């Protein structure tokens, strides 16, 4: 298949064209549409759910406005609840997460946080139909680099319900899940199919508990590596690559075919640059990577290799005239599981808040035997919400004695990483942190600034679907 240089839909291009419309009475509004598009995966046409702006570009990619309102028209035949990872949206964060009915409009108010962020369907069924998109508010005064957005997704020809059903059945032979999601399955709608290759949960040679699901394809800007996006760049160009992990449950390692890059922001917040050949990125996380291209005009690949596997997605950075070799979607060596090797080197930039006035431990609970993940052994509605008084700085300690890694999101909050394991650090400010299994321990500082509910949730959306989410209630009387 020929590579089209014209397909640059994920580039932050002529940003002025996407500026919010200002109305005289209210904050400027930015229209978005929930719709479908057809993409091609492994030479098969596939219906993908998408959230597009007026020009048909996915998500929001604009200079940072102070505040504005996203007006979302849902043209899909089903309600959709959107989760704005990285943005403290209003009127109240919990309301902003309410579903938008079919053929109806919803609106979300932003005090836009600059940087590289993500919007996705909160429901794994819709997220698995590729409903995740970039939210990029270009930083005022940023360094002069070509902006390139790279959205990573995992794709399955089978719906998420089948995967969930299989994960539960497989993990507990004869076990009927009591209540909740399992009861929503119509088993009659579930034709068993022959599967090739590994079973879910068998995962990697390195760690049989690494992968919940073996997806059929891994996508970079909606494309597989046998037909990658080719981004036109200048010889010796200076780039800012905004990598967004919008996958449902897949963690990746980013590399540039041996070149070095520097992480300059994590989850949309600047950090002291960390230079390396490869960087881990878990679901929900974002990495801004400064990359300086060679002066000889050679192409540079950007690979996203699945953790614990050889399979990879990616795109190509090519000056005009550069020969573009055929890239294989299998790396030579299996990647390690993602870990905290980047976080331990990260240092945030800018003022940090006051020292903590209280601490709260959150145990990440559940195991593979019942595929029943939770926080403090509770599910939504049990012991929720967790009250935290407004005006306090809370040290939230996440402890994971299970076997699986959990990428935990403090949705809409700044989470300043202050301890990894037993080691105290002055780490990055981000919103989604890797909490490794088998005794992983990560502590972050969060500030209960304004009243309202926030979510603490696993960004492995299969874990979230079975209950790994809790509400934090910031209240004046806690
Ligand atoms: Cu999880």
């Amino acid at each position: 298949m020929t590579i089209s240089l014209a397909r640059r839909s994920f580039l932050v291009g002529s940003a002025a064209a996407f500026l919010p419309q200002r109305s005289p009475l209210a904050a400027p509004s930015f229209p978005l549409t929930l719709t479908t598009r057809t993409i091609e995966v492994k030479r098969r046409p596939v219906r993908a759910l998408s959230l597009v702006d007026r020009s048909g570009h996915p998500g929001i990619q604009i200079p940072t406005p102070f505040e504005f309102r996203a007006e979302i028209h849902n043209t899909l035949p089903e309600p959709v609840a959107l989760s704005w990872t990285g943005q403290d949206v209003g009127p109240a964060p919990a309301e902003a997460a309410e579903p938008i009915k079919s053929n109806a409009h919803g609106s979300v108010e932003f005090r836009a946080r600059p940087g590289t962020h993500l919007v996705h369907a909160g429901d794994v069924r819709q997220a698995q139909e590729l409903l995740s998109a970039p939210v990029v508010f270009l930083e005022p005064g940023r360094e002069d680099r070509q902006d390139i957005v790279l959205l990573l997704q995992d794709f399955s020809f089978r719906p998420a319900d089948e995967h969930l059903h299989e994960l539960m059945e497989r993990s507990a032979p004869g076990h009927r899940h009591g209540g909740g999601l399992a009861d929503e399955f119509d088993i009659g709608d579930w034709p068993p199919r022959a599967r090739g290759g590994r079973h879910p949960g068998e995962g990697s040679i390195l760690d049989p508990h690494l992968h919940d699901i073996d997806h059929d394809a891994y996508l970079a800007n909606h494309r597989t590596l046998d037909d990658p996006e080719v981004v036109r760049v200048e010889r010796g160009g200076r780039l800012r690559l905004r990598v967004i992990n919008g996958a449902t449950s897949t963690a990746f390692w980013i590399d540039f075919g041996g070149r070095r890059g520097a992480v300059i922001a994590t989850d949309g917040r600047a950090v002291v640059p960390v230079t390396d050949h490869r960087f881990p990125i878990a679901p929900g996380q974002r990495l801004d990577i400064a990359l300086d291209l060679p002066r000889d005009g050679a192409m540079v690949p950007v690979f996203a290799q699945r953790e614990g596997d050889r399979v990879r997605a990616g795109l190509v950075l090519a000056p005009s005239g550069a020969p573009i070799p055929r890239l294989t979607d299998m790396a030579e060596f299996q990647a390690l599981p993602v870990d905290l090797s980047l976080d331990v080197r990260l240092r945030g930039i800018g003022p940090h808040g006051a020292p903590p006035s209280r601490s709260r431990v959150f145990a990440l609970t559940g195991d593979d035997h019942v595929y029943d993940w939770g926080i403090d052994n509770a599910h939504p509605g049990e012991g929720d919400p967790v009250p935290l008084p407004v005006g306090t700085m809370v040290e939230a300690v996440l402890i994971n004695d299970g076997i699986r890694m959990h990428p935990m999101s403090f949705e809409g909050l700044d989470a300043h990483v202050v301890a990894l394991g037993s080691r105290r650090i002055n780490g990055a400010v981000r919103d989604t942190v890797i909490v490794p299994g088998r005794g992983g321990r990560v502590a972050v500082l969060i500030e209960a600034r304004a009243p309202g509910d926030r979510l603490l949730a696993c960004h492995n959306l299969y874990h979230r679907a079975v209950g790994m989410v809790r509400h934090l209630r910031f209240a004046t009387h806690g």
Side-chain angles (χ1 to χ4, degrees):
M1 185 175 292
T2 53
I3 291 161
S4 163
L5 283 168
R7 292 166 72 178
R8 302 175 69 192
S9 61
F10 280 80
L11 280 177
V12 178
S14 48
F18 315 134
L19 277 173
Q21 305 297 303
R22 183 171 286 283
S23 96
L25 294 174
S29 82
F30 188 89
L32 290 164
T33 305
L34 281 160
T35 181
T36 61
R37 60 191 285 184
T38 301
I39 63 167
E40 194 179 315
V41 181
K42 297 195 166 176
R43 293 174 191 82
R44 282 166 63 174
V46 166
R47 184 192 84 141
L49 304 183
S50 63
L51 178 70
V52 295
D53 71 11
R54 236 204 283 251
S55 320
H57 293 77
I60 304 177
Q61 301 179 35
I62 54 173
T64 303
F66 174 63
E67 54 184 28
F68 77 104
R69 202 173 61 249
E71 300 279 3
I72 302 145
H73 182 204
N74 182 8
T75 68
L76 299 173
E78 57 199 308
V80 176
L82 292 171
S83 187
W84 299 87
T85 303
Q87 297 295 325
D88 197 8
V89 289
E95 282 173 41
E98 288 291 308
I100 303 165
K101 294 194 184 82
S102 175
N103 281 313
H105 287 79
S107 93
V108 176
E109 283 164 29
F110 284 81
R111 284 168 301 280
R113 185 198 301 282
T116 306
H117 303 288
L118 168 69
V119 58
H120 64 93
D123 187 320
V124 69
R125 297 164 183 84
Q126 294 166 335
Q128 189 63 86
E129 286 194 71
L130 303 178
L131 187 40
S132 58
V135 174
V136 176
F137 297 121
L138 298 171
E139 302 81 356
R142 68 193 176 283
E143 211 186 347
D144 184 24
R145 289 178 173 271
Q146 182 181 349
D147 275 289
I148 296 166
V149 174
L150 168 54
L151 176 72
L152 300 171
Q153 293 172 307
D154 46 20
F155 173 81
S156 171
F157 287 110
R158 306 165 67 206
D161 272 341
E162 287 187 18
H163 290 299
L164 273 168
H165 189 105
E166 196 168 287
L167 284 163
M168 289 172 173
E169 291 293 307
R170 184 177 301 279
S171 58
H175 173 82
R176 286 291 298 152
H177 198 265
L181 211 113
D183 293 340
E184 293 170 34
F185 294 136
D186 182 353
I187 292 172
D189 279 341
W190 183 59
R193 293 178 200 178
R195 286 180 57 85
R198 291 164 298 174
H199 294 297
E202 286 182 0
S204 148
I205 300 165
L206 291 166
D207 182 346
H209 302 288
L210 208 52
H211 305 129
D212 294 74
I213 291 157
D214 289 320
H215 283 84
D216 293 310
Y218 300 91
L219 307 182
N221 292 351
H222 289 161
R223 295 167 74 160
T224 50
L225 206 47
D226 61 353
D227 175 32
E229 180 177 19
V230 176
V231 180
R232 179 77 56 85
V233 293
E234 304 289 327
R235 282 167 184 255
R238 302 168 76 239
L239 314 181
R240 181 184 187 125
L241 190 62
R242 300 172 183 270
V243 188
I244 301 168
N245 190 342
T248 62
S249 72
T250 304
F252 300 92
W253 289 89
I254 306 301
D255 76 84
F256 314 102
R259 295 193 72 79
R260 285 148 62 95
V263 165
I264 55 174
T266 54
D267 300 346
R269 287 95 163 164
V271 293
V272 177
V274 170
T275 301
D276 212 330
H277 295 94
R278 60 183 64 83
F279 302 103
I281 185 166
Q285 291 186 321
R286 290 87 66 204
L287 295 177
D288 286 26
I289 302 171
L291 194 60
D292 294 334
L293 298 178
R295 297 194 181 283
D296 64 8
M299 63 78 81
V300 172
V302 179
F303 293 120
Q305 187 176 345
R306 186 195 193 204
E307 66 167 338
D309 201 347
R310 291 175 54 213
V311 72
R312 63 191 178 184
L315 55 69
V316 172
L317 308 168
S320 65
I324 297 167
R326 191 168 172 77
L327 299 171
T328 161
D329 67 357
M330 286 287 170
E332 196 174 348
F333 299 106
Q334 200 176 59
L336 292 168
V338 296
D339 56 20
L340 294 168
S341 57
L342 173 61
D343 286 87
V344 78
R345 298 169 66 194
L346 290 173
R347 300 289 175 268
I349 291 175
H352 297 309
S357 49
R358 62 171 63 195
S359 95
R360 172 69 157 82
V361 173
F362 295 94
L364 310 181
T365 49
D367 63 45
D368 267 18
H369 299 298
V370 286
Y371 206 79
D372 183 17
W373 307 100
I375 298 171
D376 296 333
N377 287 305
H379 295 113
E382 302 170 4
D384 251 6
V386 178
L388 295 171
V390 165
T392 52
M393 186 67 82
V394 181
E395 180 164 321
V397 185
L398 305 171
I399 293 177
N400 181 5
D401 288 326
I403 46 175
R404 290 201 185 259
M405 179 274 283
H406 300 292
M408 298 303 296
S409 270
F410 291 86
E411 298 273 2
L413 293 171
D414 287 321
H416 177 202
V417 179
V418 292
L420 300 173
S422 57
R423 181 168 168 181
R424 301 296 297 187
I425 63 165
N426 176 19
V429 177
R430 52 193 317 176
D431 50 56
T432 304
V433 290
I434 289 171
V435 187
R438 300 185 170 85
R441 184 183 178 283
V442 173
V444 301
L445 288 185
I446 55 170
E447 186 180 1
R449 204 172 295 153
D453 282 9
R454 269 74 173 180
L455 291 183
L456 169 60
C458 186
H459 229 289
N460 180 327
L461 298 182
Y462 285 89
H463 295 183
R464 193 181 298 201
V466 298
M468 200 159 204
V469 52
R470 294 203 75 174
H471 284 79
L472 310 179
R473 177 157 297 168
F474 297 172
T476 39
H477 300 289

